[in-house]
Amino acid sequence: MYMSRENHSQEDLEFHMAIARATQNPILQRVIPIINESIVGGYEETVNIPESIHKAVEAHERIYKAIAAGKPNIAEREMRRHLQMTVEDIRQRGVNA
């Protein structure tokens, strides 16, 4: 699947906001835009890493499926896995820069 960097980043931010709204937690809903600002900066760190966008899309699909299935433990595990992959991608970029 091909997704432009611009489309991915917008869809990524919308995905995070949708999850925040679904929690019905007003604090999380107020914090996510701040977190999203940091995420946008992270795109610059990972945009040239092969498969980075593809891995993020797959991670989001797994997270969404777990939430939709009412499996919060799996959603949490997948979210942690997604965050770890992102950190690894950023570290990889630092090594390859």
Side-chain angles (χ1 to χ4, degrees):
M1 164 175 47
Y2 175 79
M3 183 179 296
S4 75
R5 184 174 143 240
E6 293 79 17
N7 287 344
H8 168 69
S9 62
Q10 185 59 40
E11 289 177 4
D12 189 44
L13 299 177
E14 290 172 8
F15 179 74
H16 298 158
M17 284 304 300
I19 290 175
R21 283 190 301 272
T23 67
Q24 299 181 2
N25 179 330
I27 295 170
L28 184 58
Q29 292 174 35
R30 292 181 68 188
V31 171
I32 285 293
I34 297 166
I35 294 169
N36 277 348
E37 288 178 25
S38 176
I39 290 169
V40 169
Y43 295 139
E44 296 302 318
E45 298 291 325
T46 61
V47 69
N48 293 320
I49 296 174
E51 299 296 315
S52 182
I53 290 174
H54 180 71
K55 288 190 296 187
V57 169
E58 286 183 342
H60 285 181
E61 288 174 356
R62 288 191 303 271
I63 294 163
Y64 170 79
K65 287 178 181 177
I67 292 170
K71 298 181 178 180
N73 293 337
I74 294 173
E76 179 182 358
R77 183 190 72 214
E78 292 299 333
M79 188 65 201
R80 290 179 186 277
R81 183 174 163 201
H82 173 43
L83 292 172
Q84 183 61 41
M85 284 189 319
T86 302
V87 168
E88 288 172 13
D89 283 350
I90 291 170
R91 285 185 181 148
Q92 177 184 345
R93 187 209 181 270
V95 169
N96 295 329

